[in-house]
Amino acid sequence: MTGRRAFASLVLFVTFFTLCPLFSAHALNDGQIVKLINNYRRGVGLKVLKGSVLLSRSSRLKVTDMIGQGYFGHTNPAGEPFHANFSKAGYTYGQAGEILATGCVSEKCVIDAWLRSPPHRHAMLDPGYRDIGCSSLPAPRSGYYVVCHLGNR
């Protein structure tokens, strides 16, 4: 590739990823996702989950890793399970869970998708969890990747 073409490709790449957030109405509000989960839990008679800085950190590590390594799943390409991020963030757990979403452009979309999925709904409503932390980043194709980590120490 010539220098001029390489430069043009770089400018296009940087411009696209700089403007990418403009293509959705807003960035997802991770705190709003936690609030919606807690509203649903409260509505079915469960205790609300307490926001955890450490689980927010572990979920941020996970969503950043998925974007950086180009995968979407509970285990990374090296075979490392999701709860390895709990340890990296300093959260010692007795029970650990992870719920993922992709493609949504609103907090309500994320919650609705999880409620329609029996394993995700079960995780959201598990009475054994006490703590939560959620993180989201723009997904490679559309919408957002969302990671919520649930735990009990």
Side-chain angles (χ1 to χ4, degrees):
M1 187 180 287
T2 67
R4 179 176 286 150
R5 285 181 58 198
F7 178 75
S9 294
L10 178 62
V11 169
L12 181 61
F13 177 81
V14 171
T15 301
F16 175 77
F17 284 100
T18 302
L19 296 176
C20 195
L22 298 176
F23 294 121
S24 71
H26 68 286
L28 292 186
N29 180 328
D30 302 327
Q32 182 66 15
I33 293 170
V34 171
K35 182 179 176 181
L36 290 170
I37 290 171
N38 277 332
N39 286 347
Y40 195 83
R41 286 176 63 93
R42 190 179 298 111
V44 298
L46 293 172
K47 291 182 179 179
V48 299
L49 301 169
K50 186 177 123 201
S52 165
V53 171
L54 296 177
L55 289 182
S56 292
R57 186 177 304 147
S58 69
S59 65
R60 178 59 62 168
L61 288 169
K62 174 62 179 253
V63 75
T64 302
D65 187 57
M66 288 193 308
I67 298 288
Q69 292 199 58
Y71 73 98
F72 181 82
H74 297 290
T75 303
N76 73 14
E80 192 174 60
F82 74 88
H83 50 82
N85 290 303
F86 285 53
S87 301
K88 290 175 188 174
Y91 186 89
T92 305
Y93 60 89
Q95 182 180 357
E98 173 177 83
I99 48 180
L100 305 175
T102 186
C104 285
V105 295
S106 74
E107 298 82 0
K108 183 177 181 334
C109 171
V110 172
I111 301 305
D112 290 345
W114 286 339
L115 290 173
R116 286 191 308 270
S117 164
H120 293 93
R121 185 176 189 281
H122 175 76
M124 283 175 47
L125 300 179
D126 187 324
Y129 293 127
R130 298 285 180 254
D131 304 319
I132 188 169
C134 298
S135 296
S136 58
L137 286 174
R141 291 191 173 92
S142 66
Y144 287 83
Y145 277 177
V146 180
V147 176
C148 284
H149 282 168
L150 307 155
N152 189 4
R153 296 180 135 195

